[in-house]
Amino acid sequence: MFPGEMKPGRSMSQTGIPPFSEANSAEMVAQRLLKAKAGPLPRFLAVVVDHLHQIVRETRPTAADWRQAIAFLTEIGHACDDKRQEWVLLSDLLGVTALVEDINSRRPNGATPNTGRGPFYRPDAPRLPHGADISLDRAGAPLIVSGRVTDLDGMPIAGAMVETWQANAQGFYENQQPDLQPEYNLRGVFITDRDGRFHYRTVKPDGYGVPDDGPVGQMLGRLNYPLSRPAHIHFLIRADNFETLTTQVFDRADPRLDQDALFGVKPELVGDFMRSSTGDGWSLDYSFVMAMARKGAA
């Protein structure tokens, strides 16, 4: 039965409207929502209300408990501004962002999975030639990244646009430290050659902790909830007639792989950061497999 449909046998008041009660609370709210003709939002909210009321019935908070929950949500709102989105952080850390991503970016077997783009992406990274060094300050252990972009049959995709961005050797992105890192540090756009390949130079990234100075991080920190991300490099790959791929490649040696705060790690996205024979640098070679665009997809 969809939220908002009254169950048979429900008693009615003298006005013909059933009285609000624990048994029908969600239905009463959903009925009001579903009178609106406003696209899919009323149905979405009706389902949210149904689950929220179910949580309250199961946990049976006191009025004081509920006021404390409201106070926490209020703190989240106060912590948000043009540069910080604490609600997005809550969605990320509770796995909701990853779930929405999985639902909306299903790929056929063999295709590289999608992950969230993350908050540090910039759409204006410079286009660079193969072999360019995206580490403008060269602070960190040198890393050579090489990659190949293919279709599901293993055929190379020439002319694919590969955007990459990453944290530095201390775990900070360039737009987190505008006064300490050069503009566009550790960002670049490359075009695959006729063999679907690209390569560039950078530095080995480090993992990092998600913000823990706001209400979300402080609350989850008190619960000893994982608040760190393993080392990784972001990629966004576009090619004509293929679904856009947004993903991350994680360092297999990072001990935090199974505790990623944003639930982005998947077996297919773990790469081998190999130390060079001379011991003074690293290399990563990874193949990306793109799926054909579905007919009618935007």
Side-chain angles (χ1 to χ4, degrees):
M1 181 172 290
F2 190 82
E5 297 177 5
M6 296 304 296
K7 297 176 181 177
R10 186 62 46 82
S11 62
M12 307 290 283
S13 68
Q14 291 181 349
T15 62
I17 300 173
F20 184 94
S21 69
E22 180 180 332
N24 72 356
S25 62
E27 297 165 14
M28 294 284 287
V29 177
Q31 277 191 331
R32 296 182 179 185
L33 285 169
L34 295 175
K35 290 179 181 179
K37 305 296 183 182
L41 182 59
R43 279 181 168 262
F44 175 81
L45 289 177
V47 174
V48 171
V49 167
D50 187 53
H51 286 278
L52 178 59
H53 284 227
Q54 179 64 28
I55 290 170
V56 171
R57 285 192 295 269
E58 289 182 4
T59 60
R60 311 196 75 79
T62 65
D65 292 337
W66 190 244
R67 285 194 296 270
Q68 187 176 8
I70 295 296
F72 171 63
L73 298 179
T74 302
E75 288 182 38
I76 294 176
H78 288 163
C80 296
D81 56 32
D82 292 341
K83 296 182 179 179
R84 178 170 187 150
Q85 236 304 346
E86 197 80 356
W87 284 109
V88 172
L89 180 62
L90 181 64
S91 173
D92 291 345
L93 293 177
L94 295 185
V96 180
T97 302
L99 176 60
V100 171
E101 187 69 44
D102 274 0
I103 290 172
N104 288 280
S105 61
R106 297 190 184 280
R107 297 284 190 264
N109 291 335
T112 303
N114 255 43
T115 66
R117 185 176 295 185
F120 303 115
Y121 171 73
R122 289 183 60 175
D124 51 356
R127 183 173 294 193
L128 301 170
H130 290 188
D133 194 342
I134 66 171
S135 176
L136 304 181
D137 56 8
R138 299 185 180 179
L143 170 68
I144 296 176
V145 176
S146 56
R148 187 169 187 248
V149 181
T150 72
D151 64 15
L152 283 165
D153 296 321
M155 298 300 294
I157 301 175
M161 185 170 68
V162 179
E163 294 186 58
T164 185
W165 67 102
Q166 65 172 81
N168 66 8
Q170 286 74 47
F172 292 99
Y173 291 82
E174 160 257 359
N175 46 357
Q176 287 181 289
Q177 297 182 314
D179 298 329
L180 298 178
Q181 295 190 45
E183 182 84 352
Y184 300 116
N185 193 37
L186 300 171
R187 301 177 186 273
V189 179
F190 301 90
I191 305 298
T192 58
D193 62 19
R194 64 181 183 180
D195 295 319
R197 295 189 177 278
F198 66 93
H199 66 280
Y200 62 91
R201 291 176 291 154
T202 182
V203 293
K204 191 172 184 287
D206 195 8
Y208 52 87
V210 300
D212 61 359
D213 57 339
V216 173
Q218 291 172 0
M219 186 271 287
L220 292 177
R222 289 195 293 270
L223 303 178
N224 293 320
Y225 194 85
L227 293 176
S228 62
R229 300 216 67 203
H232 59 278
I233 301 176
H234 292 266
F235 294 91
L236 191 156
I237 305 176
R238 298 183 176 93
D240 292 342
N241 302 317
F242 289 89
E243 293 185 2
T244 297
L245 173 62
T246 305
T247 196
Q248 301 167 47
V249 178
F250 296 87
D251 183 354
R252 189 184 304 278
D254 195 304
R256 297 162 289 196
L257 277 182
D258 61 350
Q259 294 289 308
D260 179 22
L262 303 193
F263 302 93
V265 178
K266 300 179 180 181
E268 306 95 320
L269 300 180
V270 178
D272 294 302
F273 288 66
M274 308 294 293
R275 186 178 291 276
S276 66
S277 58
T278 57
D280 58 353
W282 298 80
S283 64
L284 169 68
D285 188 25
Y286 188 88
S287 293
F288 301 88
V289 181
M290 301 187 75
M292 293 291 295
R294 292 163 288 183
K295 291 183 179 180

PDB file of all heavy atoms in Angstrom, residues 149-171:
ATOM      1  N   VAL A 149      42.217   4.100 -22.315  1.00  0.00           N
ATOM      2  CA  VAL A 149      40.758   4.154 -22.327  1.00  0.00           C
ATOM      3  C   VAL A 149      40.267   3.273 -23.466  1.00  0.00           C
ATOM      4  O   VAL A 149      40.661   3.462 -24.626  1.00  0.00           O
ATOM      5  CB  VAL A 149      40.255   5.596 -22.508  1.00  0.00           C
ATOM      6  CG1 VAL A 149      38.722   5.634 -22.482  1.00  0.00           C
ATOM      7  CG2 VAL A 149      40.835   6.511 -21.429  1.00  0.00           C
ATOM      8  N   THR A 150      39.416   2.295 -23.119  1.00  0.00           N
ATOM      9  CA  THR A 150      38.919   1.357 -24.131  1.00  0.00           C
ATOM     10  C   THR A 150      37.408   1.202 -23.984  1.00  0.00           C
ATOM     11  O   THR A 150      36.797   1.639 -23.004  1.00  0.00           O
ATOM     12  CB  THR A 150      39.566  -0.032 -23.984  1.00  0.00           C
ATOM     13  OG1 THR A 150      39.043  -0.682 -22.812  1.00  0.00           O
ATOM     14  CG2 THR A 150      41.076   0.063 -23.870  1.00  0.00           C
ATOM     15  N   ASP A 151      36.807   0.517 -24.992  1.00  0.00           N
ATOM     16  CA  ASP A 151      35.404   0.136 -24.862  1.00  0.00           C
ATOM     17  C   ASP A 151      35.319  -1.256 -24.241  1.00  0.00           C
ATOM     18  O   ASP A 151      36.343  -1.857 -23.863  1.00  0.00           O
ATOM     19  CB  ASP A 151      34.693   0.211 -26.218  1.00  0.00           C
ATOM     20  CG  ASP A 151      35.247  -0.768 -27.253  1.00  0.00           C
ATOM     21  OD1 ASP A 151      35.985  -1.707 -26.882  1.00  0.00           O
ATOM     22  OD2 ASP A 151      34.941  -0.601 -28.447  1.00  0.00           O
ATOM     23  N   LEU A 152      34.125  -1.778 -24.143  1.00  0.00           N
ATOM     24  CA  LEU A 152      33.934  -3.072 -23.489  1.00  0.00           C
ATOM     25  C   LEU A 152      34.580  -4.220 -24.245  1.00  0.00           C
ATOM     26  O   LEU A 152      34.839  -5.287 -23.676  1.00  0.00           O
ATOM     27  CB  LEU A 152      32.437  -3.351 -23.318  1.00  0.00           C
ATOM     28  CG  LEU A 152      31.755  -2.583 -22.180  1.00  0.00           C
ATOM     29  CD1 LEU A 152      30.248  -2.641 -22.320  1.00  0.00           C
ATOM     30  CD2 LEU A 152      32.193  -3.141 -20.828  1.00  0.00           C
ATOM     31  N   ASP A 153      34.865  -4.032 -25.526  1.00  0.00           N
ATOM     32  CA  ASP A 153      35.528  -5.060 -26.334  1.00  0.00           C
ATOM     33  C   ASP A 153      37.041  -4.915 -26.330  1.00  0.00           C
ATOM     34  O   ASP A 153      37.743  -5.650 -27.033  1.00  0.00           O
ATOM     35  CB  ASP A 153      35.008  -5.016 -27.767  1.00  0.00           C
ATOM     36  CG  ASP A 153      33.533  -5.367 -27.870  1.00  0.00           C
ATOM     37  OD1 ASP A 153      33.099  -6.285 -27.138  1.00  0.00           O
ATOM     38  OD2 ASP A 153      32.816  -4.726 -28.668  1.00  0.00           O
ATOM     39  N   GLY A 154      37.544  -3.961 -25.556  1.00  0.00           N
ATOM     40  CA  GLY A 154      38.987  -3.757 -25.480  1.00  0.00           C
ATOM     41  C   GLY A 154      39.548  -2.894 -26.587  1.00  0.00           C
ATOM     42  O   GLY A 154      40.773  -2.732 -26.686  1.00  0.00           O
ATOM     43  N   MET A 155      38.680  -2.308 -27.414  1.00  0.00           N
ATOM     44  CA  MET A 155      39.155  -1.434 -28.489  1.00  0.00           C
ATOM     45  C   MET A 155      39.462  -0.049 -27.942  1.00  0.00           C
ATOM     46  O   MET A 155      38.699   0.496 -27.129  1.00  0.00           O
ATOM     47  CB  MET A 155      38.107  -1.348 -29.587  1.00  0.00           C
ATOM     48  CG  MET A 155      37.797  -2.688 -30.245  1.00  0.00           C
ATOM     49  SD  MET A 155      39.257  -3.423 -31.023  1.00  0.00           S
ATOM     50  CE  MET A 155      39.576  -2.233 -32.342  1.00  0.00           C
ATOM     51  N   PRO A 156      40.575   0.548 -28.370  1.00  0.00           N
ATOM     52  CA  PRO A 156      40.954   1.859 -27.838  1.00  0.00           C
ATOM     53  C   PRO A 156      39.964   2.942 -28.240  1.00  0.00           C
ATOM     54  O   PRO A 156      39.379   2.896 -29.322  1.00  0.00           O
ATOM     55  CB  PRO A 156      42.334   2.102 -28.451  1.00  0.00           C
ATOM     56  CG  PRO A 156      42.358   1.265 -29.682  1.00  0.00           C
ATOM     57  CD  PRO A 156      41.545   0.045 -29.366  1.00  0.00           C
ATOM     58  N   ILE A 157      39.794   3.911 -27.367  1.00  0.00           N
ATOM     59  CA  ILE A 157      38.952   5.070 -27.656  1.00  0.00           C
ATOM     60  C   ILE A 157      39.878   6.268 -27.838  1.00  0.00           C
ATOM     61  O   ILE A 157      40.436   6.797 -26.874  1.00  0.00           O
ATOM     62  CB  ILE A 157      37.940   5.329 -26.532  1.00  0.00           C
ATOM     63  CG1 ILE A 157      37.042   4.101 -26.325  1.00  0.00           C
ATOM     64  CG2 ILE A 157      37.097   6.561 -26.842  1.00  0.00           C
ATOM     65  CD1 ILE A 157      36.089   4.237 -25.156  1.00  0.00           C
ATOM     66  N   ALA A 158      40.072   6.654 -29.075  1.00  0.00           N
ATOM     67  CA  ALA A 158      40.926   7.801 -29.378  1.00  0.00           C
ATOM     68  C   ALA A 158      40.140   9.093 -29.194  1.00  0.00           C
ATOM     69  O   ALA A 158      38.928   9.141 -29.402  1.00  0.00           O
ATOM     70  CB  ALA A 158      41.451   7.700 -30.810  1.00  0.00           C
ATOM     71  N   GLY A 159      40.829  10.145 -28.779  1.00  0.00           N
ATOM     72  CA  GLY A 159      40.199  11.454 -28.646  1.00  0.00           C
ATOM     73  C   GLY A 159      39.355  11.618 -27.407  1.00  0.00           C
ATOM     74  O   GLY A 159      38.609  12.608 -27.302  1.00  0.00           O
ATOM     75  N   ALA A 160      39.428  10.692 -26.476  1.00  0.00           N
ATOM     76  CA  ALA A 160      38.682  10.853 -25.221  1.00  0.00           C
ATOM     77  C   ALA A 160      39.329  11.962 -24.388  1.00  0.00           C
ATOM     78  O   ALA A 160      40.552  12.092 -24.347  1.00  0.00           O
ATOM     79  CB  ALA A 160      38.655   9.550 -24.435  1.00  0.00           C
ATOM     80  N   MET A 161      38.510  12.767 -23.732  1.00  0.00           N
ATOM     81  CA  MET A 161      39.016  13.832 -22.878  1.00  0.00           C
ATOM     82  C   MET A 161      39.104  13.322 -21.451  1.00  0.00           C
ATOM     83  O   MET A 161      38.101  12.901 -20.865  1.00  0.00           O
ATOM     84  CB  MET A 161      38.116  15.061 -22.948  1.00  0.00           C
ATOM     85  CG  MET A 161      38.666  16.248 -22.168  1.00  0.00           C
ATOM     86  SD  MET A 161      37.750  17.784 -22.469  1.00  0.00           S
ATOM     87  CE  MET A 161      36.195  17.373 -21.693  1.00  0.00           C
ATOM     88  N   VAL A 162      40.309  13.342 -20.887  1.00  0.00           N
ATOM     89  CA  VAL A 162      40.565  12.803 -19.553  1.00  0.00           C
ATOM     90  C   VAL A 162      40.931  13.957 -18.627  1.00  0.00           C
ATOM     91  O   VAL A 162      41.987  14.575 -18.768  1.00  0.00           O
ATOM     92  CB  VAL A 162      41.706  11.766 -19.580  1.00  0.00           C
ATOM     93  CG1 VAL A 162      41.964  11.228 -18.176  1.00  0.00           C
ATOM     94  CG2 VAL A 162      41.393  10.642 -20.558  1.00  0.00           C
ATOM     95  N   GLU A 163      40.057  14.269 -17.689  1.00  0.00           N
ATOM     96  CA  GLU A 163      40.354  15.261 -16.657  1.00  0.00           C
ATOM     97  C   GLU A 163      40.848  14.525 -15.416  1.00  0.00           C
ATOM     98  O   GLU A 163      40.316  13.475 -15.054  1.00  0.00           O
ATOM     99  CB  GLU A 163      39.118  16.074 -16.282  1.00  0.00           C
ATOM    100  CG  GLU A 163      38.587  16.954 -17.389  1.00  0.00           C
ATOM    101  CD  GLU A 163      37.460  17.838 -16.895  1.00  0.00           C
ATOM    102  OE1 GLU A 163      37.678  18.620 -15.942  1.00  0.00           O
ATOM    103  OE2 GLU A 163      36.349  17.735 -17.455  1.00  0.00           O
ATOM    104  N   THR A 164      41.830  15.089 -14.762  1.00  0.00           N
ATOM    105  CA  THR A 164      42.336  14.485 -13.532  1.00  0.00           C
ATOM    106  C   THR A 164      42.587  15.562 -12.494  1.00  0.00           C
ATOM    107  O   THR A 164      42.940  16.703 -12.823  1.00  0.00           O
ATOM    108  CB  THR A 164      43.630  13.678 -13.803  1.00  0.00           C
ATOM    109  OG1 THR A 164      44.025  13.006 -12.604  1.00  0.00           O
ATOM    110  CG2 THR A 164      44.759  14.572 -14.286  1.00  0.00           C
ATOM    111  N   TRP A 165      42.375  15.204 -11.234  1.00  0.00           N
ATOM    112  CA  TRP A 165      42.689  16.093 -10.118  1.00  0.00           C
ATOM    113  C   TRP A 165      42.935  15.239  -8.882  1.00  0.00           C
ATOM    114  O   TRP A 165      42.447  14.115  -8.794  1.00  0.00           O
ATOM    115  CB  TRP A 165      41.586  17.131  -9.888  1.00  0.00           C
ATOM    116  CG  TRP A 165      40.262  16.624  -9.410  1.00  0.00           C
ATOM    117  CD1 TRP A 165      39.751  16.665  -8.138  1.00  0.00           C
ATOM    118  CD2 TRP A 165      39.229  16.013 -10.204  1.00  0.00           C
ATOM    119  NE1 TRP A 165      38.494  16.118  -8.091  1.00  0.00           N
ATOM    120  CE2 TRP A 165      38.140  15.713  -9.356  1.00  0.00           C
ATOM    121  CE3 TRP A 165      39.120  15.678 -11.566  1.00  0.00           C
ATOM    122  CZ2 TRP A 165      36.973  15.102  -9.793  1.00  0.00           C
ATOM    123  CZ3 TRP A 165      37.957  15.070 -12.006  1.00  0.00           C
ATOM    124  CH2 TRP A 165      36.901  14.791 -11.131  1.00  0.00           C
ATOM    125  N   GLN A 166      43.701  15.770  -7.944  1.00  0.00           N
ATOM    126  CA  GLN A 166      44.108  14.976  -6.785  1.00  0.00           C
ATOM    127  C   GLN A 166      44.571  15.866  -5.652  1.00  0.00           C
ATOM    128  O   GLN A 166      44.820  17.063  -5.821  1.00  0.00           O
ATOM    129  CB  GLN A 166      45.257  14.038  -7.180  1.00  0.00           C
ATOM    130  CG  GLN A 166      46.527  14.813  -7.564  1.00  0.00           C
ATOM    131  CD  GLN A 166      47.725  13.924  -7.763  1.00  0.00           C
ATOM    132  OE1 GLN A 166      47.879  13.315  -8.823  1.00  0.00           O
ATOM    133  NE2 GLN A 166      48.603  13.858  -6.750  1.00  0.00           N
ATOM    134  N   ALA A 167      44.691  15.256  -4.478  1.00  0.00           N
ATOM    135  CA  ALA A 167      45.292  15.931  -3.326  1.00  0.00           C
ATOM    136  C   ALA A 167      46.812  15.870  -3.457  1.00  0.00           C
ATOM    137  O   ALA A 167      47.362  15.040  -4.184  1.00  0.00           O
ATOM    138  CB  ALA A 167      44.836  15.262  -2.034  1.00  0.00           C
ATOM    139  N   ASN A 168      47.482  16.732  -2.715  1.00  0.00           N
ATOM    140  CA  ASN A 168      48.946  16.729  -2.753  1.00  0.00           C
ATOM    141  C   ASN A 168      49.505  15.707  -1.757  1.00  0.00           C
ATOM    142  O   ASN A 168      48.769  14.888  -1.200  1.00  0.00           O
ATOM    143  CB  ASN A 168      49.496  18.135  -2.494  1.00  0.00           C
ATOM    144  CG  ASN A 168      49.201  18.641  -1.077  1.00  0.00           C
ATOM    145  OD1 ASN A 168      48.712  17.914  -0.216  1.00  0.00           O
ATOM    146  ND2 ASN A 168      49.514  19.902  -0.834  1.00  0.00           N
ATOM    147  N   ALA A 169      50.797  15.763  -1.534  1.00  0.00           N
ATOM    148  CA  ALA A 169      51.460  14.769  -0.677  1.00  0.00           C
ATOM    149  C   ALA A 169      51.079  14.915   0.789  1.00  0.00           C
ATOM    150  O   ALA A 169      51.367  14.028   1.600  1.00  0.00           O
ATOM    151  CB  ALA A 169      52.978  14.875  -0.837  1.00  0.00           C
ATOM    152  N   GLN A 170      50.417  16.027   1.148  1.00  0.00           N
ATOM    153  CA  GLN A 170      49.934  16.207   2.514  1.00  0.00           C
ATOM    154  C   GLN A 170      48.421  15.991   2.623  1.00  0.00           C
ATOM    155  O   GLN A 170      47.834  16.177   3.689  1.00  0.00           O
ATOM    156  CB  GLN A 170      50.272  17.616   3.019  1.00  0.00           C
ATOM    157  CG  GLN A 170      51.739  17.820   3.367  1.00  0.00           C
ATOM    158  CD  GLN A 170      52.602  17.929   2.121  1.00  0.00           C
ATOM    159  OE1 GLN A 170      52.260  18.670   1.177  1.00  0.00           O
ATOM    160  NE2 GLN A 170      53.710  17.218   2.106  1.00  0.00           N
ATOM    161  N   GLY A 171      47.779  15.622   1.505  1.00  0.00           N
ATOM    162  CA  GLY A 171      46.354  15.341   1.550  1.00  0.00           C
ATOM    163  C   GLY A 171      45.457  16.553   1.361  1.00  0.00           C
ATOM    164  O   GLY A 171      44.292  16.523   1.777  1.00  0.00           O
TER     165      GLY A 171
END
